[in-house]
Amino acid sequence: MGETTASGAAQAGRRRVAVVGGGTAGLFAAERLRAAGCEVHVFEAKGSAGRKFLVAGKGGLNLTHSDPPALFASRYRERAGEVASWLEAFDADALRAWALGLGVPTFVGSSGRVFPDDLKAAPLLRGWVRRLRAQGVHLHVHHRWTGWADDGRLRFDTPDGGLAFDADATVLALGGGSWPQLGSDGAWQALLRDAGIEVAPLQPANCGFDVGWSPHFAARHAGAPLKPVIAHWREVDGSAHALQGECVVSEHGIEGSLVYAISAPLRERIAREGHAILELDLVPGRELARLQHELARPRGKRSVSEHLRRAAGIDGARAGLLREVLGADAMHDPAVVAAAAKRLPLRLLRARPIDEAISSAGGIRLEALDRQLMLRARPGTFAAGEMLDWEAPTGGYLLTACYASAHVAAAGVLRWLSMPA
């Protein structure tokens, strides 16, 4: 089937804007642009918008966080300065106010995370899409972007064949590389590189890591929670850090919220040195001296595992981890076991694949964009969301930066469209 063309003057003299990607950033940019009077067309490769948004809300939609501004911005590590400028335009309070405008009040949880009162993503998304349609946003599903035609028009594969679309400005909001089944497959990387736009390779973020357990340990303990534990690690600059939380033994290694929170420095250590050492305090409620004293008591006829359980409360996956790392013989030395229980070294071999990750790092380098998030190599084309080169831990920081960058990109589009032709 041949290629069709969508061109001509925008409706009623309005400027026509194409938003490529129907995720959080794309929908929010579309909303801002439509409110300013633009004719807005959203193109989504899947059959519906906001699929990853729905998955993010499966266990309770963590919309944003209540951190004070400076701490909030620091969560974005190397990109803290750039993201802070986006947050000045649209921050966590603005996001909560926006949700309330959709009839969705929010609350701050005990961890400082912000959730809708009903914890659900679906009602918010349904109300949002309904409002966008009522406002006149055109949503085109099953339209996969395939790059630019020679004359600069956007090209799409559709169920009816190829489509060339003429727009006065474009916002790219195609997501990262995690959750490819939901549309964030990173296929846009080659298209942008071919157009001369600098893209940092996509990498897994908020992810688990391979350790290389023995088959016996993996079969016996995969899926077992470790809570609470304290993680100790070093950044690539050698600085030492510690964080308490919860994680899970997986079939391949270790994962869970505590590991996700520190996945960036662990991934960087692996990239630099070929592996990373993560040390776990398996018994954070006991000081080393006390633990040594408890384990040094005579165990009589009790087995080593029973002695660990009775003397120090170490059993299940914790005891299994000690045996996995130390070996059977060392388990008979109370001093060695006590020291390991307080700082058990796990050698992380690699991050789990990106399609298992919660989010991704890498993307369009921010240096390839101006302050309004317009591509320097392609004037009139802006980018927002997870396809930009930033990352953040879970906790509401990911969604907030997607909204904030979309707000900045939409403002940039409006500024661009006001320029003389």
Side-chain angles (χ1 to χ4, degrees), residues 400-412:
T400 305
C402 286
Y403 278 94
S405 62
H407 180 92
V408 171

Side-chain angles (χ1 to χ4, degrees), residues 7-30:
S7 59
Q11 296 175 359
R14 297 171 182 154
R15 294 298 189 110
R16 172 185 282 183
V17 182
V19 177
V20 186
T24 301
L27 294 179
F28 195 58

